[in-house]
Amino acid sequence: MSTGQSADGAAGKSAGSGAGNTHRAIEIRHLRAFLAVAEESSITRAAAGLRLTQPAVSRTLAALERHLGLRLVDRSTHHLALTPEGVAFRDRAAAAVAAFDAATDTEGLRRWPLRLGHAWSAFGRYTTPLLRGWQERYPRTPLELRRIDDRTAGLTRGEVDAALLRGPVDAPGLVTEVLYEEERVAAVAADGPLASRATLRLADLATGTVVLNTVSGTTTPELWPPSARPAATLTVANTDDWLTAIAAGRGTGVSAASTAGMHPHAGVAYRPLVDAPALPVLLARRDAPGHPALDDLAALAREIVARDAGE
């Protein structure tokens, strides 16, 4: 491991020579080591996954913290935990590693796919026209639709090049464009009393438990007036668990109208929610240079929505 010790030691010396050179001393191996520790909450397990020794990972992590001038990992407890600075740095490190891997993927350079993330309902009723239209116009650039259970559908972590999102998004470093607005629907148990109603109102759901997807969903108790918030809430982590809980009669839910078409469920009935505000559907990208076909994607998405509005 003498090579790794020398590299870390040299990097540490250059970091001390001036703040302007600090970030140039950071290498991709520092970020990989940090991300492995963050994922495993253990230097030992991280080292095993990286096929390195525990001391080598410890030195690499310490060198990264020294370069940044920040403590990223709290080692004061029996189980490692990220510091607040470590939590904030994790997404940036993941995005940097993803960008590096994409840039050095020789196969991908020959056929560079455009990765489009979504959290649950993609482009709604426009999803198929988008995929077919893209294939016809840009056959050399595959459009990969990826469902990622995350508020930005993996965009802030660098897992996708663009994302279709719903509702307001306040993540820093993103540029968003509203493509259209969707009505909201109530999701209720198919064998429950509310399923017999043609339409529903927010007050109809507030008397019972409302199921909330707190990871990628857009519904919060603030959708209801302060004096008429739901009697109880049940939190889940993804759309599949949301549907399962509603079908089991554990509560009701609120979602965009496209969810009814994209996620039909034998145990769930969708009903128009007549007094809920419409939900904006956004196309989001990072505020930085990205895939060269991003502008083409935005133009095609706008064209499809405009064509539908004119019919």
Side-chain angles (χ1 to χ4, degrees), residues 178-199:
V178 177
L179 296 173
Y180 67 101
E181 290 190 334
E182 280 188 338
E183 299 301 318
R184 299 195 201 220
V185 295
V188 301
D191 58 356
L194 293 178
S196 63
R197 307 266 295 274
T199 62

Side-chain angles (χ1 to χ4, degrees), residues 113-151:
L114 177 59
R115 304 164 301 168
L116 180 60
H118 69 103
W120 76 89
S121 288
F123 204 21
R125 66 181 184 274
Y126 303 124
T127 301
T128 298
L130 178 68
L131 295 177
R132 288 181 175 175
W134 185 268
Q135 175 62 26
E136 291 171 1
R137 294 190 188 183
Y138 309 103
R140 292 181 175 274
T141 304
L143 180 60
E144 297 181 355
L145 193 63
R146 300 185 180 184
R147 175 182 159 186
I148 300 176
D149 289 309
D150 174 82
R151 186 65 189 93

Side-chain angles (χ1 to χ4, degrees), residues 23-212:
H23 297 294
R24 274 179 271 178
I26 296 175
E27 301 173 11
I28 198 69
R29 64 189 178 87
H30 294 106
L31 303 183
R32 292 194 194 280
F34 165 71
L35 290 172
V37 172
E39 176 70 21
E40 298 290 348
S41 297
S42 164
I43 290 179
T44 301
R45 291 194 296 271
L50 294 168
R51 297 184 180 180
L52 298 172
T53 65
Q54 181 177 341
V57 173
S58 294
R59 286 194 299 271
T60 303
L61 179 60
L64 175 62
E65 292 178 321
R66 186 166 61 250
H67 299 336
L68 294 174
L70 297 171
R71 178 58 61 91
L72 302 175
V73 177
D74 184 359
R75 303 168 179 80
S76 62
T77 60
H78 294 296
H79 300 286
L80 296 185
L82 297 184
T83 64
E85 293 81 5
V87 171
F89 183 67
R90 179 174 53 191
D91 285 349
R92 296 185 181 187
V97 170
F100 176 85
D101 289 342
T104 56
D105 177 10
T106 55
E107 183 62 29
L109 289 174
R110 299 187 186 96
R111 188 175 172 84
W112 188 0
L114 177 59
R115 304 164 301 168
L116 180 60
H118 69 103
W120 76 89
S121 288
F123 204 21
R125 66 181 184 274
Y126 303 124
T127 301
T128 298
L130 178 68
L131 295 177
R132 288 181 175 175
W134 185 268
Q135 175 62 26
E136 291 171 1
R137 294 190 188 183
Y138 309 103
R140 292 181 175 274
T141 304
L143 180 60
E144 297 181 355
L145 193 63
R146 300 185 180 184
R147 175 182 159 186
I148 300 176
D149 289 309
D150 174 82
R151 186 65 189 93
T152 65
L155 186 58
T156 57
R157 298 201 301 266
E159 297 180 40
V160 296
D161 304 295
L164 292 162
L165 308 176
R166 284 167 171 79
V169 177
D170 57 4
L174 299 186
V175 176
T176 62
E177 173 185 354
V178 177
L179 296 173
Y180 67 101
E181 290 190 334
E182 280 188 338
E183 299 301 318
R184 299 195 201 220
V185 295
V188 301
D191 58 356
L194 293 178
S196 63
R197 307 266 295 274
T199 62
L200 293 170
R201 304 180 72 85
L202 288 169
D204 297 324
L205 310 183
T207 57
T209 299
V210 174
V211 185
L212 304 175

Side-chain angles (χ1 to χ4, degrees), residues 177-264:
E177 173 185 354
V178 177
L179 296 173
Y180 67 101
E181 290 190 334
E182 280 188 338
E183 299 301 318
R184 299 195 201 220
V185 295
V188 301
D191 58 356
L194 293 178
S196 63
R197 307 266 295 274
T199 62
L200 293 170
R201 304 180 72 85
L202 288 169
D204 297 324
L205 310 183
T207 57
T209 299
V210 174
V211 185
L212 304 175
N213 176 357
T214 56
V215 175
S216 58
T218 59
T219 304
T220 69
E222 285 68 37
L223 180 63
W224 284 258
S227 60
R229 297 275 161 82
T233 59
L234 172 65
T235 61
V236 295
N238 56 60
T239 303
D240 298 325
D241 292 345
W242 181 80
L243 289 167
T244 300
I246 294 169
R250 300 184 65 189
T252 60
V254 176
S255 189
S258 60
T259 304
M262 299 292 289
H263 296 280

